[in-house]
Amino acid sequence: MNILILGSGGREHALAWATLQNPKCDKLIVAPGNAGIAQIAECAQFDINDGGVVAEFVSENAIDLVIIGPEAPLAAGVADRMREAGVSVFGPSAAAAKLEASKSFTKEICDAANAPTAAYGHFTDAEAAKAHVRETGAPTVVKADGLAAGKGVIIAETVAEAEAAIDDMFGGSFGAAGAEVVIEEFMTGEEASFFVLVDGDICLPIGTAQDHKRVGEGDTGLNTGGMGAYSPAPIMDDAVTQKALDEIVRPTMAEMVRRGTPYQGVLYVGLMIENGQPRLVEYNVRFGDPECQVLMLRLGAQAFDLMQACAEGRLDEAQVTWADDHAMTVVMAANGYPGSYEKSTEIKGLGRLKADSFNMMFHAGTTAENGKVLTSGGRVLNATARGETLQEARDRAYAMVDAVDWPEGFVRRDIGWRALG
Ligand code: AMP
Ligand code: GLY
């Protein structure tokens, strides 16, 4: 088969790596890709958010299956264009991608499906939002309704902080994403991510993970896209997993079918778990980054079979073969991230790293120039490893980190602390 993957992050490097493990893959193209992806697949440059441009590329290159990594092309309707053109695609329609593109939409679906989640209010003007906050009190959570690259969520410790966040959002600091605001009850508990392949009302769980969103050790400091992750998430035991499926995922996916906008693709279920009860924090309509890296290393070649079955409407026949293993990924980021940081610094020593089904250095923000690997983003490399225990996976991941020569980068040294004890 000829396969096209859209995206350029560590997530897409991991998707490309897993796809290449599968003998069905004859040719793999990734657009736009990065320096690490370029070492294993052909990279192509075109506008991945323009369905017409993608459709033309797919037809010229006889692509059989398109895997969409990030949310932007999904929200822009690229998967719809593929389906119209009769091309198999892994990723939801724009109508179903609203589960990530609009927080108020997801809350409304949860209400209709009776799925446990935080109480909320939805506002289109600042005064009404502030009155709601004064009434419900702090701590509270203020969210820009639309896509804000993971930055549109403010946890306000006081009413004054919440009011300032509301003014900020309606003032345009998150652009169009903040034209509507959702105010949520602050939930306590432990967070975990649950990944489910969905085709209409068929739901197949493929793994759990926990990530570290804060930049600093001990989960302190600013929020980031994710500084590291591990899989499985110990808190997602069989009982919690079953509850999440029965009370949250299945009823909300049935509601999407009922509304004539069935979901097809991977659903990232962000959960808050307290006293064995999961509640929905958010849905994302794609794999998490860096959670995808640990899932792909654990699933290996079967990940492609599963995505293909989902894309081709055969999910009811698919099965996951679970291994009793653990994986961890440690994000290497540019000094200064998530604030301002230098680009185009050189990374050395990548050539001496192991690259096998236990140890993979996935690339995120890298480019190749004259035989050198240079940085091009904040999150740059993902040292990803697998082992019989989480400790073994951790030791392998940090051994990779330590073998890289990149003085302009940093890592958190405590990824997995909660699970390692
Ligand atoms: P979101 O983009 O909605 O996932 O929010 C980002 C992060 O903010 C989540 O991963 C949680 O850590 C936190 N968060 C969001 N909503 C809530 C809530 N209602 N209660 C507590 N924490 C939340
Ligand atoms: N790691 C969080 C996300 O991908 O949204």
Side-chain angles (χ1 to χ4, degrees):
M1 292 177 74
N2 297 335
I3 296 143
L4 172 66
I5 296 177
L6 302 182
S8 63
R11 168 179 53 209
E12 287 75 22
H13 192 178
L15 290 170
W17 173 82
T19 298
L20 285 165
Q21 306 305 305
N22 195 298
K24 281 185 204 152
C25 177
D26 298 309
K27 183 173 187 181
L28 176 64
I29 305 178
V30 183
N34 61 38
I37 295 171
Q39 289 168 5
I40 60 172
E42 187 180 325
C43 291
Q45 310 301 319
F46 55 83
D47 182 358
I48 65 165
N49 295 317
D50 184 329
V53 170
V54 180
E56 203 172 311
F57 184 88
V58 160
S59 132
E60 279 167 8
N61 292 275
I63 299 294
D64 301 300
L65 175 68
V66 182
I67 296 171
I68 303 181
E71 61 276 21
L74 294 166
V78 171
D80 302 78
R81 263 317 270 277
M82 298 302 106
R83 291 192 181 99
E84 279 160 26
V87 179
S88 292
V89 58
F90 181 73
S93 66
K98 263 187 101 174
L99 288 171
E100 176 164 358
S102 167
K103 297 192 188 289
S104 58
F105 175 76
T106 299
K107 297 302 271 185
E108 191 197 309
I109 295 285
C110 285
D111 281 352
N114 228 340
T117 183
Y120 76 106
H122 174 211
F123 301 95
T124 51
D125 78 273
E127 282 320 310
K130 286 196 268 188
H132 176 82
V133 162
R134 282 193 295 269
E135 198 184 304
T136 51
T140 186
V141 186
V142 182
K143 298 186 174 184
D145 187 65
L147 288 179
K151 298 184 180 74
V153 175
I154 308 287
I155 313 265
E157 302 292 343
T158 63
V159 169
E161 248 178 74
E163 288 185 307
I166 290 165
D167 281 332
D168 217 31
M169 284 185 191
F170 283 112
S173 59
F174 295 97
E180 297 184 22
V181 163
V182 170
I183 314 275
E184 283 184 16
E185 164 202 357
F186 176 76
M187 293 189 283
T188 52
E190 185 173 337
E191 277 186 84
S193 313
F194 181 33
F195 294 88
V196 184
L197 296 187
V198 177
D199 182 15
D201 52 15
I202 304 168
C203 299
L204 181 69
I206 57 163
T208 63
Q210 280 180 300
D211 76 343
H212 294 269
K213 287 195 163 74
R214 304 295 193 96
V215 70
E217 277 160 25
D219 294 322
T220 56
L222 292 174
N223 257 326
T224 71
M227 293 300 293
Y230 52 97
S231 172
I235 193 161
M236 292 293 292
D237 59 22
D238 290 348
V240 173
T241 303
Q242 200 60 46
K243 266 182 186 262
L245 262 181
D246 292 345
E247 297 177 11
I248 301 173
V249 180
R250 287 208 169 97
T252 51
M253 291 302 104
E255 177 63 18
M256 294 297 283
V257 172
R258 202 185 62 74
R259 291 182 181 214
T261 51
Y263 190 91
Q264 192 182 56
V266 64
L267 187 68
Y268 167 140
V269 185
L271 297 170
M272 186 73 81
I273 299 134
E274 196 174 39
N275 302 325
Q277 177 63 50
R279 292 207 279 168
L280 184 72
V281 177
E282 63 165 345
Y283 275 143
N284 290 314
V285 299
R286 47 168 178 87
F287 281 111
D289 186 342
E291 295 92 326
C292 185
Q293 288 80 312
V294 284
L295 292 176
M296 289 303 123
L297 204 62
R298 292 189 62 209
L299 290 168
Q302 68 175 320
F304 177 76
D305 294 323
L306 292 166
M307 291 189 281
Q308 185 194 7
C310 184
E312 293 177 354
R314 294 183 290 101
L315 199 57
D316 54 340
E317 298 164 12
Q319 273 184 2
V320 185
T321 307
W322 303 102
D324 189 14
D325 59 358
H326 297 257
M328 181 180 290
T329 186
V330 178
V331 172
M332 302 181 71
N335 290 338
Y337 174 81
S340 61
Y341 50 83
E342 211 182 328
K343 284 188 188 172
S344 300
T345 60
E346 186 181 355
I347 306 163
K348 293 186 196 152
L350 291 167
R352 56 177 178 249
L353 299 179
K354 284 185 199 160
D356 55 34
S357 62
F358 291 94
N359 306 271
M360 281 301 303
M361 182 63 89
F362 294 123
H363 288 222
T366 65
T367 50
E369 230 175 272
N370 305 322
K372 293 180 180 170
V373 175
L374 304 181
T375 67
S376 62
R379 290 191 298 166
V380 171
L381 295 167
N382 311 141
T384 311
R386 194 160 65 91
E388 279 179 32
T389 61
L390 187 58
Q391 184 65 44
E392 192 176 43
R394 180 204 175 275
D395 293 345
R396 286 180 176 148
Y398 280 105
M400 274 190 276
V401 167
D402 292 332
V404 171
D405 177 8
W406 179 38
E408 295 85 2
F410 74 100
V411 295
R412 270 183 62 170
R413 287 273 159 194
D414 65 343
I415 301 304
W417 64 268
R418 201 191 282 273
L420 289 164

